[in-house]
Structure formats: structure tokens, C-alpha cells
Amino acid sequence: MKSKYVILASALLISAATFAQKDQIKSAEKALKSGDAQGAIAILKDAENLVTNAKDVEQAQYYFVKGNAYLDLANKKVEESKNLTAAAESYKTLIDVEKTSGKQKYSTQAAASITEIKGKLINSAIADSQANKHKESAQKLYDAYQLDKNDTINLYYAASTAVNAQDYDTALPMYEELKKLNYSGKGTQYTAVNKISGSEDGFSNAKDRDLAVKLGTHEKPKTEAIPSKRGEIYKNLALILVQKGKTEEAKKAIADARKTNPDDTSLILTEANLYLETKDFETYKKLVNEALEKDPNNADLIFNLGVISAGAKNTADAEKYYAKAIEIKPDYVNAYINIAALKLEAEKPIIDEMNKLGTSAKDMKRYDVLKAQRESVFKSVIPYLKKANELDPQNDDVKKTLLGVYSALEMTAEAKALKAKG
């Protein structure tokens, strides 16, 4: 008889707890409706320990109100990123609860809110990036990816942004996850110019883009191939590993990637760059030549061969590669700069010899020969420096070098005109 009273007492306690929880959720809803999101969250925290034993419908309601409260705070710019993430976590838990119970009351609204949060995180991340707050931007992009793991491009952008922040410890696991997913990012981009705003709008497919053009809202349709991002992903992964002293791990990562993606030429470049970083020039050349067989008109590859040849003091080959890169890509500013730098190296031995000469008739005669040679060197670089300055007028080093050349050749009018450009 005594045990029956104990059971009855326990039942009364559970019932009282359930009523208390319902009252707290209702109180939280009331606080939220009156604009007191912080108060709503505080009330819900008091009920947190009771939620696990509550009915599914009450659990769902609890997480729905909690998500709404955090979202309200985020919309008021109160710890926006933190509260957006907390809101999304609440909504995700709600969806899991209703999926398990088979009764859906709040899931549709919760899913819509998650989509809204994802958009807000991405927009906030873009704003942070523009303000050079790359670390914060990377975290928000990663949070957006966590909300929708099908949208892997947000993971890619999160990793790239973490690299911009030089936060390699954060970037590394992101790149490792991209590697695990075998993410490529390769695809097709469909765009058209908005007639009202003048901006280039993107479309998910050609059909939607062409319809907008037909309706007259857009013009100048364009279809562009989006190249594979695997090369960049593995390059950054490898460089981070090398920086951490894990060179062999970096080599293995790229070798594995090439086995998985044998037709992705960007990975050959990535492997080549790794050997360039580790000063293994022979393996680098071998890989570059392998890539050139697949892509003979790749200006970047040919330019890099020029860099290697210059490093090996093979001036003739270096100049040949730089010239070839310019032939393929006439606006390749770095190739013009490097040819000029290569040619200017010939000035040093001339100056060294001039400084050793005395004042004898023989020495003076030799001085005149050397002076003519030096002037010839300066004249030879003018076309390359002028072109580099034309392509990149903000490059102060190019402008400074060109002014120095004009000064040495006493080309006063040309120097004055260059200075006048600002």
C-alpha cells in the first residue's frame, strides 16, 4: 500500500514539472512578442533541464521559440554571428525532433529561417571580407556551410578566406575536408546584364537566364566555364603542410589527388609548385614539361620556366620563356617586368669594371666603350618597362625604375611626362 503512494507522488511531480515547463515556454513566447528576446532566452534556460523528458510537441515548441529569440537578437545586431549560429542550432534540433516523432508543426518555418540565416551569414561574411576582417568572414562562411553541407562552395570560400587572414590552423582542416569531398567547383556560369541596375546577374541555368533576356529585363547573355579549383585547394593544403614542416605529407596529398583526378592539369601545376617551394628544380622542370605537353599555351607555366631558368643563371632560356609568355598573353605584366630585370642585371658587371678603371688614355677609351654598353642595356629595357607601366600604372617600382633609366640616358622630356602622370 505504501509503494502505491510513492508511485502516485512521483506521477504528481512529473505532472507538475510538465505544467511548469509549458508555462515557461508560454512566458518565453509572451516575452518575445513584447520585444524582450533576452528575457525569453533567460526563461527558456530555466526550463532547459526539463526539455529532455518533455513530449515531442513541447520539445519542438521549446526549440522553435528559442530559435526565434536568438534570431530576433541577431536581427537587432546583438552579437549577430553568435546569435545567428545559436538560432540555426535550435531550428536544426527542432527539425530532428519532429522528424523522429513524425509530427511536423514547426519544421517548414524552421527550414525557411535556416535559409534566411544562411543568407545573412554569407552577406555578413562578404561585408567582413571587404573590411579586411578575414578571420571573422571565414568563420561565418564556415557556419553557413555547416547549415547546408550540400553547398560546398561556402566551405571553399571559408578556407580561402582563412588563408587571406593567414589563419592557417583554421584553413588546414577546411582544406582537408575539401580534399575528402574531392571538391572541384568546376561548372558553368550563366550571366546577363540587368538593364535597370547595369550589374551582371547570375542565373542557376541557361533556361532562366534566356527567359530574363526574352522578357526584356536583361541583356548581353554570357556563358562561361568555371575551372576546377582542385589545383588551388591542393596548392594551399600543400603550402600549409610545408610551412608546418610536413613536406612529405604535402607530397603524398598531391600525389593522391593526381591519382584520383588524372585529367586535372591544375594538379600537375600544384605538384610542380610544391617542388619549386622545396628547391627541387629538376623535378619541377619535369612536371612543368609534363603539364606543357597537356597545355602548351599555358602562359603561367612558361613564365615559371623563365623564373627557374633565371634562378639557374640561364639568362638566354629565361628571356626566351618570358618572351613566349608575352606572345601567348600580351598583357602579362610580370613577364615584361622580369625581362627588364633580367636585362638590367647586365649593368652590374659593367659598373664594377668602370669603377676599377683609372685615368690613363687606355682606361678612358675602355670607359667610353663600357658607357655605350651601359646605355645600350638601358635602351633595351625601355619598351618592357613602358609596357609594364602602361599595364600596371600603380606599380611604383616599375615607375621608379623607368624614371631611373630615363635619368641615366638624359631623356628629360620622357621623365617629365612620366612624372606628370602621377
Side-chain angles (χ1 to χ4, degrees), residues 332-344:
Y332 207 141
V333 64
N334 286 338
Y336 290 103
I337 292 170
N338 280 23
I339 284 186
L342 198 67
K343 288 178 174 293
L344 283 171

PDB file of all heavy atoms in Angstrom, residues 332-344:
ATOM      1  N   TYR A 332      50.683  40.204 -70.037  1.00  0.00           N
ATOM      2  CA  TYR A 332      51.324  39.531 -68.906  1.00  0.00           C
ATOM      3  C   TYR A 332      52.360  40.475 -68.285  1.00  0.00           C
ATOM      4  O   TYR A 332      53.550  40.423 -68.597  1.00  0.00           O
ATOM      5  CB  TYR A 332      51.987  38.235 -69.369  1.00  0.00           C
ATOM      6  CG  TYR A 332      52.117  37.175 -68.302  1.00  0.00           C
ATOM      7  CD1 TYR A 332      51.911  35.833 -68.596  1.00  0.00           C
ATOM      8  CD2 TYR A 332      52.459  37.502 -66.991  1.00  0.00           C
ATOM      9  CE1 TYR A 332      52.027  34.848 -67.621  1.00  0.00           C
ATOM     10  CE2 TYR A 332      52.580  36.536 -66.018  1.00  0.00           C
ATOM     11  CZ  TYR A 332      52.362  35.210 -66.335  1.00  0.00           C
ATOM     12  OH  TYR A 332      52.479  34.249 -65.366  1.00  0.00           O
ATOM     13  N   VAL A 333      51.908  41.323 -67.392  1.00  0.00           N
ATOM     14  CA  VAL A 333      52.750  42.390 -66.845  1.00  0.00           C
ATOM     15  C   VAL A 333      54.004  41.864 -66.160  1.00  0.00           C
ATOM     16  O   VAL A 333      55.093  42.443 -66.310  1.00  0.00           O
ATOM     17  CB  VAL A 333      51.920  43.294 -65.889  1.00  0.00           C
ATOM     18  CG1 VAL A 333      51.425  42.531 -64.679  1.00  0.00           C
ATOM     19  CG2 VAL A 333      52.719  44.515 -65.458  1.00  0.00           C
ATOM     20  N   ASN A 334      53.895  40.764 -65.414  1.00  0.00           N
ATOM     21  CA  ASN A 334      55.069  40.234 -64.701  1.00  0.00           C
ATOM     22  C   ASN A 334      56.155  39.738 -65.652  1.00  0.00           C
ATOM     23  O   ASN A 334      57.343  39.779 -65.312  1.00  0.00           O
ATOM     24  CB  ASN A 334      54.661  39.108 -63.758  1.00  0.00           C
ATOM     25  CG  ASN A 334      53.945  39.635 -62.527  1.00  0.00           C
ATOM     26  OD1 ASN A 334      54.096  40.803 -62.176  1.00  0.00           O
ATOM     27  ND2 ASN A 334      53.156  38.802 -61.882  1.00  0.00           N
ATOM     28  N   ALA A 335      55.751  39.287 -66.838  1.00  0.00           N
ATOM     29  CA  ALA A 335      56.743  38.843 -67.827  1.00  0.00           C
ATOM     30  C   ALA A 335      57.546  40.035 -68.343  1.00  0.00           C
ATOM     31  O   ALA A 335      58.770  39.952 -68.516  1.00  0.00           O
ATOM     32  CB  ALA A 335      56.047  38.119 -68.972  1.00  0.00           C
ATOM     33  N   TYR A 336      56.868  41.172 -68.582  1.00  0.00           N
ATOM     34  CA  TYR A 336      57.568  42.393 -69.011  1.00  0.00           C
ATOM     35  C   TYR A 336      58.533  42.860 -67.916  1.00  0.00           C
ATOM     36  O   TYR A 336      59.686  43.231 -68.195  1.00  0.00           O
ATOM     37  CB  TYR A 336      56.568  43.510 -69.312  1.00  0.00           C
ATOM     38  CG  TYR A 336      55.738  43.289 -70.553  1.00  0.00           C
ATOM     39  CD1 TYR A 336      54.413  42.868 -70.469  1.00  0.00           C
ATOM     40  CD2 TYR A 336      56.275  43.496 -71.825  1.00  0.00           C
ATOM     41  CE1 TYR A 336      53.640  42.660 -71.607  1.00  0.00           C
ATOM     42  CE2 TYR A 336      55.519  43.298 -72.978  1.00  0.00           C
ATOM     43  CZ  TYR A 336      54.193  42.881 -72.858  1.00  0.00           C
ATOM     44  OH  TYR A 336      53.443  42.681 -73.991  1.00  0.00           O
ATOM     45  N   ILE A 337      58.071  42.835 -66.669  1.00  0.00           N
ATOM     46  CA  ILE A 337      58.909  43.271 -65.544  1.00  0.00           C
ATOM     47  C   ILE A 337      60.137  42.372 -65.416  1.00  0.00           C
ATOM     48  O   ILE A 337      61.266  42.853 -65.236  1.00  0.00           O
ATOM     49  CB  ILE A 337      58.095  43.265 -64.227  1.00  0.00           C
ATOM     50  CG1 ILE A 337      57.021  44.360 -64.257  1.00  0.00           C
ATOM     51  CG2 ILE A 337      59.009  43.462 -63.014  1.00  0.00           C
ATOM     52  CD1 ILE A 337      56.020  44.287 -63.111  1.00  0.00           C
ATOM     53  N   ASN A 338      59.932  41.053 -65.541  1.00  0.00           N
ATOM     54  CA  ASN A 338      61.046  40.113 -65.358  1.00  0.00           C
ATOM     55  C   ASN A 338      62.068  40.195 -66.488  1.00  0.00           C
ATOM     56  O   ASN A 338      63.269  40.024 -66.260  1.00  0.00           O
ATOM     57  CB  ASN A 338      60.521  38.692 -65.207  1.00  0.00           C
ATOM     58  CG  ASN A 338      60.018  38.421 -63.802  1.00  0.00           C
ATOM     59  OD1 ASN A 338      59.672  39.340 -63.079  1.00  0.00           O
ATOM     60  ND2 ASN A 338      59.948  37.159 -63.412  1.00  0.00           N
ATOM     61  N   ILE A 339      61.595  40.448 -67.713  1.00  0.00           N
ATOM     62  CA  ILE A 339      62.555  40.621 -68.816  1.00  0.00           C
ATOM     63  C   ILE A 339      63.410  41.858 -68.560  1.00  0.00           C
ATOM     64  O   ILE A 339      64.634  41.833 -68.742  1.00  0.00           O
ATOM     65  CB  ILE A 339      61.832  40.748 -70.181  1.00  0.00           C
ATOM     66  CG1 ILE A 339      61.346  39.390 -70.664  1.00  0.00           C
ATOM     67  CG2 ILE A 339      62.776  41.341 -71.232  1.00  0.00           C
ATOM     68  CD1 ILE A 339      60.761  39.393 -72.058  1.00  0.00           C
ATOM     69  N   ALA A 340      62.758  42.937 -68.122  1.00  0.00           N
ATOM     70  CA  ALA A 340      63.501  44.166 -67.828  1.00  0.00           C
ATOM     71  C   ALA A 340      64.520  43.920 -66.720  1.00  0.00           C
ATOM     72  O   ALA A 340      65.691  44.336 -66.833  1.00  0.00           O
ATOM     73  CB  ALA A 340      62.537  45.277 -67.437  1.00  0.00           C
ATOM     74  N   ALA A 341      64.098  43.239 -65.655  1.00  0.00           N
ATOM     75  CA  ALA A 341      65.001  42.947 -64.538  1.00  0.00           C
ATOM     76  C   ALA A 341      66.169  42.075 -64.995  1.00  0.00           C
ATOM     77  O   ALA A 341      67.323  42.278 -64.585  1.00  0.00           O
ATOM     78  CB  ALA A 341      64.232  42.254 -63.421  1.00  0.00           C
ATOM     79  N   LEU A 342      65.861  41.114 -65.865  1.00  0.00           N
ATOM     80  CA  LEU A 342      66.881  40.205 -66.396  1.00  0.00           C
ATOM     81  C   LEU A 342      67.936  40.983 -67.179  1.00  0.00           C
ATOM     82  O   LEU A 342      69.142  40.783 -66.998  1.00  0.00           O
ATOM     83  CB  LEU A 342      66.199  39.181 -67.311  1.00  0.00           C
ATOM     84  CG  LEU A 342      66.949  37.902 -67.655  1.00  0.00           C
ATOM     85  CD1 LEU A 342      67.113  37.029 -66.412  1.00  0.00           C
ATOM     86  CD2 LEU A 342      66.175  37.130 -68.727  1.00  0.00           C
ATOM     87  N   LYS A 343      67.482  41.885 -68.025  1.00  0.00           N
ATOM     88  CA  LYS A 343      68.397  42.679 -68.857  1.00  0.00           C
ATOM     89  C   LYS A 343      69.209  43.653 -67.996  1.00  0.00           C
ATOM     90  O   LYS A 343      70.396  43.896 -68.266  1.00  0.00           O
ATOM     91  CB  LYS A 343      67.619  43.438 -69.931  1.00  0.00           C
ATOM     92  CG  LYS A 343      67.075  42.539 -71.047  1.00  0.00           C
ATOM     93  CD  LYS A 343      66.287  43.344 -72.049  1.00  0.00           C
ATOM     94  CE  LYS A 343      65.860  42.494 -73.247  1.00  0.00           C
ATOM     95  NZ  LYS A 343      67.020  42.066 -74.081  1.00  0.00           N
ATOM     96  N   LEU A 344      68.575  44.204 -66.973  1.00  0.00           N
ATOM     97  CA  LEU A 344      69.273  45.166 -66.112  1.00  0.00           C
ATOM     98  C   LEU A 344      70.384  44.523 -65.290  1.00  0.00           C
ATOM     99  O   LEU A 344      71.283  45.219 -64.806  1.00  0.00           O
ATOM    100  CB  LEU A 344      68.278  45.863 -65.183  1.00  0.00           C
ATOM    101  CG  LEU A 344      67.429  46.961 -65.821  1.00  0.00           C
ATOM    102  CD1 LEU A 344      66.329  47.421 -64.878  1.00  0.00           C
ATOM    103  CD2 LEU A 344      68.300  48.146 -66.247  1.00  0.00           C
TER     104      LEU A 344
END
